[in-house]
Each structure stands twice: as C-alpha cells, then as structure tokens.
Amino acid sequence: MGRHARDGAAAAGRGAGRMSVATRIKPRDLRLVEKLAGIHWPLVALTATLGMIGYVVLYSAGGGHHEPWALRHALRLLFGAALMLAIALTGIRFWFRWAYAIYGVCLGLLVAVEIMGELNKGAQRWIDLGVFQLQPSELMKIALALALARYFHSAYLDEVGRPAYLLPPILMAVVPAALVLRQPDLGTAVMLLAMGGGLLFLAGVRLWKFALAIGLAAAALPIIWSQMHDYQKQRVLTFLEPERDPLGAGYHIIQSKIALGSGGLWGKGLLNGSQAQLSFLPEKQTDFAFTMLAEETGFFGGLVVLLICFAILMALLAIGMRAAHQFGRLLAIAIGINFFLYVTINVAMVTGLIPVVGVPLPLVSYGGTAMLTTLIGFGLVLCIDVNRFTQIPRFPVET
Amino acid sequence: MYQEAERHRSFTRRALFVGALQTGLFGLLAGRLYHLQIDQSQTFALLAEDNRVNQHLIVPPRGRIFDAGGRLLARNVPTYRVRVVREQARDIRRTLEDLAALIDLPQATIDEVVAKAELRRAFVPIEVREDLDWEEVSTIAVHAPELPGVVLESSLLRDYPYAEVLAHVLGYVGPVNEAEQKEDGDPLLSMPTFRIGKNGIEKAYDAVLRGRAGLSRIEVNAVGRSIRELDRDDGDPGRDLRLSLDLELQRFCFERLSSELAAGAVVVDVATGAVLALASVPSFDPRAFDKGLSHRQWRDWRDNPRHPLVNKCTRGQYPPGSTFKMMTALAALEEGISPNYEAYCPGYMSLGRARFHCWKEHGHGRIALNQALAQSCDVYFYDVARRIGVDAIAAMAERFGLGHELGIDVPGERPGLIPTRAWKKAAVGESWQKGETLVAGIGQGFVLATPLQLAIMTARLCNGGMAVRPWLVEPEAGALAGIEPIGVSPQALRAVQAGMHEVINGRRGTARKARLDIEGVEMAGKTGTSQVRRISRTERAAGAHKRKDRPWEERDHALFVCYAPYDAPRYAVSVIVEHGQSGSGTASPIARDIMTRALELDPSHSRTLARV
C-alpha cells in the first residue's frame, strides 16, 4: 500500500517539475567578451603553473635536455590549454544535452579497445591521435562525471533514497570500472569507482548506504583478490612489506623513498638528484615525476606543488558551490574529485603510503592522456563558472 | 522550490564535507613528505650515497721477502690477461676470431666467451685468457686498433725464485677461505683475486706483507656502469721483509740433504738465535697453491710417507736419542754428581727382571762423563738417570728449550715432548716406571724433540747458557733483546762441552769423521741414533736390529748436533735424516759439510781464515 502512495507522490513531484519548465525565464546567450571576462583566470594560472613545473621536471629528467620529454610535454600543454579555453567558451547546456551521448560513445570505445585487446593479445588499449595517445578509460572519467551529473541533476532528494533509482548510476560507474579493471588498470578502475561514489554522496545518498557498500566490498575482497593478476597481487604484497623483495617489486618504492628522503629540505638542486639522474629511480618521467621533483627541489618543492594542487582543488570547490544549477555543481566537484584522486594516489604511492598502482601526477608527469583528461575537465569547470548564472531546467524539453 | 532549496543545502553541506576530507588528506600527504624529507632525511641521504657510490678496493702490492744478504726470495711478477668488452667490440665474435689469429685461442673458448658476454651487461669486461706471455701481450698491444673492445690487464702474481728450497720457510699464498674472512675484518679479503699467506713467513707476517688497501670511490648508475671517479686513496704497499736466512747456506743445506729420502737441517747463530738455514727434504712447489692445486697433486703430497708438505725442522718430532745425553749429563752435574764419577758398563744394565742394553754389546767398562759422551755410553746415562730421576732431567731439558714451542716466527711449530712423572699420570693415566727413567735418560721412549729444538739446545750449550730463541725476522727490540742466562754453572757446561769436543776430536769419539777440514777450527757435537720401534729380545739375539735390509720405515733415525768454532762458537747445526740408520755414519758428515759451508760464508770468519 505504502508503495503505491509513494509512487503517487513522486508522480506529483514530477508534475511540479514540468510546471517549472513552463515558468522559467529563457536566458539570453552570453557574448564572447562576457564569457572571456567570466573565466576563472586564477584557476587557469594555477593550471599553467603546474604544467610548467612539469616542464622543468621533465627537462631535468631528460638530463638537461628538451628531448625526449620536456618539449613534447610543452606542446601537449599548449594544445591542452587551448582545448581547455575553447571548452570554457562553449555553452553549458550543450554538455548537459550531450552528456549521455558522450558517455555512450566512451563506453563504446572502451568495449572496442577491450575487444581489440582480446583479439590481438597484448595489443595497445589506446587510440593514437598524433600528439596524444588517447585512452578511452581516461576519457571515461569525464564522461562518467557528465552522465552522473546529468542523472542527478533531475533527482529529488527523496528519490535519491530509493535503491531502484540508484541502480542506473551505480551501473554507469561499475560497468566501465569493470572493463578497465580487465585491461588491467587498477588505478583507473579505483578512480572511476571513487568518483562515482563521490557523486552519489554529493547527490544526497545516505551515509549508511555507503557504509553498507563498503562493508559488502570488504566482504568481496577475497573474490577480487582471486581475480587479480599475479603482478597486481605482488604490488599489494610488496606495498605491505617493501623490503620483502628489495631488488624486485619493492625496488620502486624503496628507491622512491630514498630519493625523497635524501632530497631533504631544499633538495639536491635541479639536474643533481643522484637517484633520478643515475637511474636508480624508475619511471622518473611518469609515475615517479613527483619523487624526482622532491629529490631535486626538496620538501620545499614538493610542498609548493601540493599547495598549487590544493589551491586548484579549492577553486574547483568554490566554482561548484556557486553554480546555479545542480548539473554544474555536481560536475565541478566530480572533476575536483578526479583531480584530487590523481594527486593523492600518485603522491601517496611515491611516498610509500599505498601500493604502486600506476597513476601519474596530472600536468607534471609525462603522458598525454592524464593531461588531456585534466585539461578537458578543467575546461568544463571553467565553462560552468562562465555560465554560472545560466539556469538548466530540471527536465529539459527534448529538441 | 522548497525541494530545490533543500537539495542545494544538502549539496553544500556535502561539498564542504568533501572539501574538508580533501584538505585533511592533503595535510596527511604533506605530513608524510615532512616525515620522509625532514625527519628521516639523514637516513635516506646515506642510502642514496650507498646507491650512488661504488667503492673499489685497490690491492696494494705484497711486500717482498729478502734473505740476510738482500737476495730476493719472494717477489711479485706481473701476469697478463686479456678481456673483451661487448659494447666496444662492434661484433664480438669477429673480434675474438681476429684475436685468435694472434694468440692461441681455441674455438671452444671463443664460443664460451661470446655466450658469457651475451648474458652480462654490455659494458662488463669478460675474461678471454689469462697467463699471457710477453710476446702475446706485445702482439695484442700492437694490433690494438684492429681489435675493438679487447682490453689487456695485468695483475701481480706471487713468485718464489727458489721455489722448493724455501717452500717450508716462506710458505705460500692462496685464495682466502671463509674462516679467514670471518676472522679478519680487512676488506681486501673479500676480493676474489686476493691472495693471503697460507703458511710459513707468508702467513706469520701476512699483516705486514699485505699492506693497506687503497680505495677508489666511483660514481655508478643503477645498472652499475661507472660514471666517474670521485676520489682515490692508493693505500700503502706491503712492507718488505728481510730474513735472517742466508740463501747460499739454505740452498747448500737443501742440496746436501737431497741425497736422503727425508731429512731436515737447521743452522742457528748461537749468540742471537737467528736462523740461517732451515731446510726440509723433500719439498714442494709453493707456486702450485696460487695457480690452483689439482686434487691429485694434493693427494700425492699429503699421502707421501716422506711428507713433502711438512717442515721437518719445526714440525717433525723425533726421539732425540743420544743427542739428548747432554741434558742428562747436565742434570746429573747440577744434582751434585761429579764429572769424575765413574759408572761400570758391562754392555747392559739390569733393573728388576729387565735388561737395558748399551749400543756397544760388550760394554765400555768403567767410564766417566767425558768418555761417556765421547763414546755415547748408554749405561753411564742409565746409571745417572736412575740416580737423579726423570723430573730432574726434564727440568734441565726444559731450560734448554726442549718440550715446548720456541716461538719461531713460522707457524705450526710443534712442542716435542719431555716426559715427567706428572705428565705420564695425566696423559697416559699410569704411574711412572723406573725403567722409563733409564730410557728417557738416553733420549728414547717418550722423549721427542724437533731439529729446531736440538739446534737451539746446542746453541744454549755452547753460548754460555744464554736462552736464545729462534727467529727469522729480527725482533723489533733487536736481535739480542731479552736473552737471559738459563743459570747453569759454567763448570758443568764446560764439562759437557769438553765431552762434545771429544766426540769429534777424541781418539774414541763416535764422530771422528765429522772433523772440520779447516785449519785451526774445531767442532764439537754429538751423534744420535734413535730407535723408531722397540727391539724385541729375539730380534736382538738374531742381530736383526743392526741389519741394513730392514724396511725403510723401521730403520733408526740418524741425528747429529754440533757447533763451531769450539773455542769461539758461532753456529749451531742440527741434522736429522729420517731412517738414516746411523748418527755418526749418515748425519754427522752432512752436519760437517753444512758447518763448513756456514763458516766459509761467514764474512767475519773468512777474514780470520785469511789471516791464518
């Protein structure tokens, strides 16, 4: 009986929503100058600074040469920044409208590379775009944020409490995460799930439900363990006890900690990090770029980078909180969570707090996809901010 | 609209919560960085330095060894090996085949080297061949431009120019074993090519000869490639040693003894204890140990009944036989028995039901000390030994350096054995028998001594009772430091010396053939023929113990101790010929020749000879 009554109330709610569509004021489109003036330039400046720090790090990683990394990094940074600003100048409703379609395309690409990978053992799981090599799994982070933000944009607070209502968004997060995990890319899968969870939380899902989900996940851990690749198991085991295998899997963590620790307060100076320059530090241009930076510029340099990242996060948070529409709010915070996860997982990994999962430091590490994802995401956030007074109807009229 | 506002409030709360969580986690990361980079900075700085720097030990050249006259006895000779570095050789097989055209290099070796090079990093040198001779080295050097990646390297190999003559004295060097490495903290020992003194002087003075390792600190990268040398300390080369040995005399002793199957001879300076010769026959090639000894060679040496590896002078323990009679005589004189006391020798002495024979079947008749020594009358010494007891004899022998290690600076010295009542009780568990005192009185039974001990005993007899000790490298404090009188009365010593003089120069002496053929120089000495096994009554009756056709192992040992010149002694010599049958027949001529040579080589003495 109660069920019927609730359904009735929901139907009534929906009706009220439709009324608001009819009564909304259609905003006029912003002119380009207005849009440029509305761009959150401090965020752009912080982003550019981080990207340039990355350039310096890669210059040092190349032993004081632009080749092989620094120059390409700079080119990508320029290209990505242009893309970011271009996206900032688009209309927010465009993204709202196409959110599901973008998600669908990304999911399709993810399935496609997965099939390609299956057919052709050991094949690349990325698409070559010239300057960038695009991993659908990275694009999926943006697409998932868009799709979930759109989904919850229309949600009433009490709808969010219904398990049936939560099923589609959970599937939206879990399906790509499962595909990515098969690749296997533990880091990205974790990030997709964490971002999905973060959006669910922001949309108003009760905390006890998260507690329940985490409990279930913990119960499922043995199953996941059995599904993991040997090298992934090794990483986890080695994380728990790095000295277990100092020349094997534990080598990375140990050498990274030595590099960081020996950097001290002010570092050994650019190009003088013995750990990085003498190749004791593995992957110094990608996953361990932060280590190299902190070895050569010390605690001071590491802290500066953390503070820049923190400032970016706070800017994203502020933008999210002042947006006029739920879509923008959710999207901005989701992209903030994505960035936060990148930085936290990377730094925690290189400082030996968590296992080595292969997550780069965005804008600093060499590698196109993470930079592109980050800059596209920031572009969307800038776009939200430019259009922060724009209203998006809860149930837009389909065109 | 209420719904929308409520949702916005909920969002705001939760967004702030997320922001707080992110802030907290960033704080945690910053804290972690602080912990690693500030708190533990020093620990990690050390680890980074460990990573960065490879320390290479520089092996110092081993000290050389000279004889007293400055002749080189042990030296280091360069040995050359050729190696190849894969990354410098464009085609390693081609390079090796080119090399094979210049030096002897079998195809199998080439294949082996190529296979080995493939497994190692490209910059690691792979050994191709060692022990190149000069001609090969210069050929390779000339063709170096056509042989990319080929590297010539030299190292030092220990060499002994007089190999066998000095093998027992100098010892040899060999690879370090685990126990040595554990015992000695010197980092040099961990180097695979390092050689350590294994025996003889090489072992005793290893620390001096070894020197101090140099250190080169080289910056390396993660795969071990050298980047640059940071600093270098060349270390100290090993110190050269000068021995008391006279190479000429040593060589003469060795060659003179070589006519025997197994023998040893010692020459000491009676005033200082300096060892001038220490020869042991047969010998071995000490170089074999460094080059790698074959198992077969090792077994042959080890199981050979003539014991080529054993230094017979310091490690051979023999019953001294009649050479011990001076100890019994001195003990008797000290106990108050007059040198003129006469014993009666009917050819044997009876003790209870047992009969103890003199070497002379029909006896010496009435005989006093002087002739008892000269003719080596066993019964005289049975008699005085019985009177004074074994402990008095043992005490005297100990004062002359018998029964304990003398502390010569060659490892492995044996103590010999001087029995006492207490010793027998403790070691054998039985009480001392009277008959054993008689046997001990003529240096048989339990009594054992090394040729070195006998030489030192002789030196102490002739130098006025000064307790010299043997050495090869002059003690820091000087040759004469710490030599104290052993406190035997000069009269007693003179009586014994007179007896020893009579052995060689007397009308009835047992070693008349050992007279020196040098005008105006006389020698004194004592023969010894010691039984290896007990002679049974039936054997004695059959005269079997005198026959020459006994198996070698059962024949008596021949010994002789002597010193010269009699009036101003300089050298004491002891000779043992294992199973040499007769002290006077076999050992004394050898000792005479050695003494003659020693006097000839003595610069101060040759001057006196020249004057005469």
Side-chain angles (χ1 to χ4, degrees):
Chain A
M1 282 312 284
R3 185 185 199 96
H4 285 283
R6 251 199 359 228
D7 284 356
R14 234 171 248 139
R18 291 213 173 85
M19 272 193 29
S20 72
V21 174
T23 55
R24 74 191 163 89
I25 306 149
K26 184 170 171 72
R28 70 176 172 85
D29 287 333
L30 294 170
R31 281 176 302 158
L32 185 63
V33 180
E34 288 174 311
K35 282 184 172 179
L36 282 175
I39 282 180
H40 195 295
W41 290 108
L43 177 57
V44 175
L46 286 168
T47 307
T49 309
L50 196 56
M52 285 187 284
I53 289 176
Y55 170 79
V56 174
V57 168
L58 292 175
Y59 178 78
S60 179
H65 299 287
H66 292 288
E67 295 296 332
W69 300 305
L71 195 62
R72 282 178 73 84
H73 180 83
L75 287 176
R76 284 171 183 171
L77 186 64
L78 280 176
F79 176 83
L83 189 63
M84 174 178 77
L85 289 174
I87 291 171
L89 298 176
T90 56
I92 188 66
R93 276 178 293 186
F94 168 82
W95 298 103
F96 182 80
R97 195 178 304 131
W98 293 101
Y100 289 142
I102 291 169
Y103 177 83
V105 169
C106 283
L107 195 60
L109 283 175
L110 208 51
V111 172
V113 292
E114 183 59 32
I115 290 168
M116 270 161 53
E118 283 296 323
L119 290 181
N120 192 358
K121 284 279 175 213
Q124 306 155 343
R125 284 195 165 90
W126 36 262
I127 297 156
D128 204 337
L129 292 182
V131 185
F132 290 95
Q133 284 156 354
L134 200 59
Q135 289 178 4
S137 62
E138 286 289 325
L139 277 190
M140 182 43 99
K141 289 172 184 168
I142 303 286
L144 180 63
L146 280 169
L148 290 178
R150 165 150 190 184
Y151 186 84
F152 286 111
H153 174 73
S154 326
Y156 289 97
L157 210 48
D158 48 3
E159 276 179 330
V160 171
R162 278 177 29 215
Y165 187 81
L166 290 179
L167 195 60
I170 288 174
L171 282 178
M172 276 194 261
V174 168
V175 170
L179 283 170
V180 169
L181 194 59
R182 276 180 56 84
Q183 283 193 356
D185 182 351
L186 184 61
T188 307
V190 166
M191 285 176 72
L192 283 170
L193 286 177
M195 195 174 66
L199 269 168
L200 256 59
F201 172 74
L202 288 164
V205 176
R206 294 282 172 190
L207 274 174
W208 66 264
K209 286 182 179 151
F210 283 97
L212 186 68
I214 290 168
L216 286 175
L221 265 184
I223 300 164
I224 296 172
W225 180 256
S226 68
Q227 291 293 311
M228 277 163 77
H229 283 247
D230 270 349
Y231 84 94
Q232 290 170 321
K233 289 182 185 175
Q234 283 299 322
R235 282 182 175 183
V236 175
L237 288 175
T238 306
F239 158 69
L240 296 173
E241 197 191 348
E243 285 75 16
R244 203 169 64 103
D245 183 12
L247 287 176
Y251 182 79
H252 292 200
I253 294 176
I254 292 170
Q255 294 300 339
S256 178
K257 282 164 77 175
I258 291 174
L260 284 169
S262 61
L265 177 57
W266 298 106
K268 300 171 184 171
L270 270 185
L271 297 171
N272 283 330
S274 63
Q275 288 284 105
Q277 301 294 346
L278 298 171
S279 307
F280 289 101
L281 188 63
E283 303 288 326
K284 59 177 181 279
Q285 78 282 13
T286 56
D287 289 359
F288 289 90
F290 181 81
T291 305
M292 169 156 185
L293 171 100
E295 186 193 8
E296 300 196 340
T297 61
F299 177 64
F300 174 77
L303 201 61
V304 165
V305 166
L306 278 184
L307 284 174
I308 291 173
C309 292
F310 184 67
I312 289 174
L313 267 184
M314 291 301 110
L316 297 178
L317 188 69
I319 288 170
M321 288 177 65
R322 73 186 187 189
H325 42 86
Q326 186 74 352
F327 176 69
R329 292 173 201 148
L330 290 175
L331 184 56
I333 307 290
I335 284 164
I337 289 175
N338 187 40
F339 181 71
F340 167 77
L341 289 172
Y342 264 128
V343 176
T344 311
I345 292 177
N346 179 264
V347 176
M349 172 180 102
V350 302
T351 53
L353 287 172
I354 59 166
V356 176
V357 287
V359 171
L361 185 63
L363 300 173
V364 176
S365 293
Y366 181 76
T369 315
M371 180 191 275
L372 193 67
T373 316
T374 307
L375 290 175
I376 289 174
F378 287 2
L380 286 171
V381 175
L382 290 171
C383 176
I384 291 164
D385 202 42
V386 168
N387 297 291
R388 62 179 174 274
F389 300 116
T390 306
Q391 289 290 337
I392 302 176
R394 177 157 288 182
F395 295 102
V397 181
E398 297 299 326
T399 47
Chain B
M1 255 7 312
Y2 164 75
Q3 282 256 346
E4 174 60 30
E6 177 61 23
R7 192 174 74 163
H8 195 175
R9 271 201 300 279
S10 160
F11 169 82
T12 307
R13 275 199 309 273
R14 290 185 172 219
L16 286 173
F17 177 79
V18 168
L21 194 69
Q22 292 177 341
T23 309
L25 282 172
F26 261 58
L28 184 72
L29 292 180
R32 175 68 174 173
L33 268 190
Y34 183 88
H35 175 66
L36 288 177
Q37 298 200 274
I38 309 295
D39 287 349
Q40 299 197 315
S41 174
Q42 300 208 318
T43 316
F44 285 119
L46 277 178
L47 290 173
E49 187 72 1
D50 266 5
N51 265 345
R52 180 175 78 102
V53 177
N54 251 5
Q55 302 196 340
H56 287 254
L57 287 179
I58 301 168
V59 181
R62 195 172 175 83
R64 294 168 300 171
I65 303 175
F66 296 94
D67 86 334
R71 282 164 290 211
L72 195 53
L73 306 182
R75 61 184 178 184
N76 306 307
V77 293
T79 166
Y80 294 90
R81 59 172 67 92
V82 61
R83 294 173 161 190
V84 64
V85 182
R86 177 155 62 93
E87 76 176 357
Q88 289 166 20
R90 279 181 295 276
D91 177 349
I92 184 167
R93 187 171 286 280
R94 267 272 307 282
T95 304
L96 288 174
E97 274 157 8
D98 290 348
L99 186 64
L102 301 174
I103 64 169
D104 179 31
L105 197 61
Q107 187 60 39
T109 312
I110 295 181
D111 295 340
E112 205 176 295
V113 170
V114 171
K116 213 186 278 178
E118 298 297 332
L119 291 175
R120 309 288 299 272
R121 291 184 189 278
F123 57 86
V124 176
I126 309 290
E127 185 142 324
V128 179
R129 233 196 74 189
E130 57 180 9
D131 226 358
L132 297 175
D133 62 35
W134 240 120
E135 205 168 314
E136 290 171 318
V137 171
S138 45
T139 314
I140 293 172
V142 166
H143 290 85
E146 302 130 57
L147 297 167
V150 169
V151 185
L152 279 171
E153 277 187 20
S154 73
S155 62
L156 294 174
L157 200 70
R158 196 65 159 169
D159 182 54
Y160 306 99
Y162 309 100
E164 297 188 321
V165 174
L166 285 150
H168 296 109
V169 179
L170 298 180
Y172 46 88
V173 295
V176 181
N177 65 34
E178 226 167 281
E180 287 161 339
Q181 199 160 355
K182 213 172 282 176
E183 203 171 289
D184 188 334
D186 193 328
L188 273 174
L189 268 58
S190 59
M191 302 199 60
T193 56
F194 187 73
R195 295 290 181 266
I196 192 171
K198 290 285 186 182
N199 214 335
I201 292 288
E202 293 277 26
K203 182 176 184 179
Y205 292 95
D206 190 69
V208 178
L209 292 165
R210 188 191 297 173
R212 188 179 59 84
L215 196 62
S216 157
R217 299 196 334 129
I218 292 178
E219 186 172 75
V220 293
N221 69 6
V223 291
R225 182 196 293 276
S226 303
I227 305 295
R228 65 195 160 114
E229 187 171 55
L230 298 171
D231 46 56
R232 184 187 181 90
D233 161 14
D234 281 322
D236 299 323
R239 252 178 49 207
D240 291 344
L241 281 182
R242 187 186 165 106
L243 303 188
S244 56
L245 284 184
D246 182 320
L247 173 65
E248 278 307 308
L249 187 61
Q250 172 79 13
R251 202 146 54 161
F252 180 83
C253 291
F254 187 80
E255 279 158 15
R256 183 68 182 82
L257 291 177
S258 291
S259 55
E260 307 299 332
L261 288 175
V266 182
V267 182
V268 298
D269 182 315
V270 299
T272 62
V275 177
L276 277 82
L278 195 73
S280 180
V281 167
S283 186
F284 60 94
D285 184 353
R287 290 171 292 204
F289 287 87
D290 197 1
K291 286 185 176 162
L293 194 59
S294 73
H295 186 70
R296 195 201 146 115
Q297 175 73 82
W298 166 248
R299 236 187 15 226
D300 283 356
W301 281 345
R302 189 194 56 195
D303 299 340
N304 189 329
R306 293 157 62 194
H307 303 297
L309 294 176
V310 175
N311 183 347
K312 297 186 174 58
C313 300
T314 59
R315 292 178 61 75
Q317 304 183 109
Y318 308 92
S322 301
T323 58
F324 187 71
K325 285 176 179 164
M326 282 81 84
M327 297 300 103
T328 309
L330 278 173
L333 293 171
E334 286 256 304
E335 292 291 316
I337 294 176
S338 157
N340 301 320
Y341 165 76
E342 286 185 341
Y344 178 72
C345 170
Y348 61 89
M349 181 176 196
S350 294
L351 193 72
R353 286 199 331 229
R355 188 170 264 202
F356 293 85
H357 292 272
C358 185
W359 67 270
K360 192 167 178 188
E361 214 177 329
H362 302 293
H364 294 92
R366 296 187 73 83
I367 192 163
L369 173 63
N370 189 276
Q371 282 307 308
L373 277 172
Q375 301 178 39
S376 203
C377 173
D378 292 332
V379 172
Y380 175 87
F381 292 97
Y382 292 152
D383 184 56
V384 294
R386 188 174 55 80
R387 286 165 189 272
I388 58 176
V390 70
D391 288 351
I393 300 170
M396 185 56 70
E398 290 282 345
R399 284 155 80 183
F400 278 83
L402 302 174
H404 56 263
E405 288 157 24
L406 291 166
I408 188 174
D409 39 1
V410 181
E413 184 191 0
R414 291 287 187 83
L417 177 62
I418 298 300
T420 61
R421 288 163 183 281
W423 167 82
K424 193 185 175 197
K425 195 84 196 160
V428 188
E430 292 169 13
S431 35
W432 188 262
Q433 303 292 312
K434 276 203 178 114
E436 289 167 341
T437 303
L438 308 197
V439 175
I442 61 162
Q444 290 277 171
F446 295 113
V447 184
L448 292 173
T450 66
L452 178 69
Q453 285 174 328
L454 295 178
I456 289 295
M457 174 194 81
T458 310
R460 290 180 182 187
L461 277 170
C462 71
N463 69 4
M466 301 301 286
V468 291
R469 292 180 167 279
W471 50 264
L472 283 154
V473 176
E474 188 170 323
E476 299 249 331
L480 294 168
I483 299 178
E484 283 168 10
I486 52 180
V488 185
S489 77
Q491 294 85 347
L493 278 176
R494 266 201 297 279
V496 171
Q497 287 164 0
M500 292 173 77
H501 181 258
E502 199 69 7
V503 168
I504 293 170
N505 305 290
R507 200 161 49 83
R508 292 180 170 175
T510 52
R512 288 176 53 79
K513 63 181 83 164
R515 284 167 71 106
L516 289 180
D517 198 16
I518 305 174
E519 186 67 34
V521 182
E522 283 182 332
M523 184 158 87
K526 182 73 195 77
T527 53
T529 305
S530 63
Q531 285 172 24
V532 176
R533 54 189 285 273
R534 199 180 198 91
I535 302 164
S536 69
R537 200 168 283 224
T538 46
E539 282 170 337
R540 187 175 295 280
H545 64 290
K546 298 251 163 116
R547 289 221 311 266
K548 300 261 179 189
D549 57 356
R550 283 181 300 169
W552 182 71
E553 301 82 20
E554 292 181 12
R555 294 181 197 166
D556 295 343
H557 291 317
L559 296 102
F560 195 73
V561 300
C562 59
Y563 66 88
Y566 177 67
D567 48 2
R570 289 192 52 75
Y571 304 117
V573 172
S574 81
V575 170
I576 164 97
V577 178
E578 283 187 17
H579 312 293
Q581 305 264 32
S582 156
S584 63
T586 313
S588 77
I590 295 175
R592 175 201 61 205
D593 294 347
I594 289 173
M595 183 63 84
T596 305
R597 190 79 188 115
L599 291 170
E600 280 169 8
L601 289 167
D602 181 349
S604 63
H605 194 78
S606 48
R607 272 199 301 279
T608 48
L609 287 180
R611 260 209 317 276
V612 175

